[in-house]
Amino acid sequence: MPAFSVMADQNCAAGTAAQQAATAALNPEIEQINKEAEDSFVSSDAIGKCLSQLSTGITLPVFNADGFVQQVHRKSETGSL
């Protein structure tokens, strides 16, 4: 049973034809909307998985401030700044 009602009398041929035409017109639209929603979900899911793999694969260099300060200090003592 469709999610809408036709105002025509369902006991007459015109009412039956109207109901069938409405159902035939609406069902492909519903199928298309469902397909687009599913495609969108699959795309979003794939993008999310891809980005999560990227984020776990990215490593940032470790900045050693103590080593940097010591290097600057050594260079300042030798005059090679």
Side-chain angles (χ1 to χ4, degrees):
M1 182 117 194
F4 59 90
S5 63
V6 174
M7 298 299 284
D9 180 4
Q10 296 299 312
N11 295 323
C12 69
T16 300
Q19 181 68 46
Q20 290 172 346
T23 300
L26 187 60
N27 284 343
E29 295 297 323
I30 291 172
E31 289 173 13
Q32 182 63 29
I33 290 168
N34 288 337
K35 181 184 179 313
E36 289 174 8
E38 183 179 330
D39 290 348
S40 176
F41 175 77
V42 168
S43 296
S44 295
D45 188 45
I47 291 169
K49 286 179 181 176
C50 179
L51 291 177
S52 70
Q53 289 172 352
L54 286 176
S55 67
T56 58
I58 296 173
T59 56
L60 297 174
V62 176
F63 180 72
N64 184 347
D66 186 46
F68 177 74
V69 170
Q70 288 178 5
Q71 186 178 8
V72 168
H73 183 67
R74 278 194 305 266
K75 287 185 179 186
S76 68
E77 287 178 346
T78 62
S80 61
L81 279 176

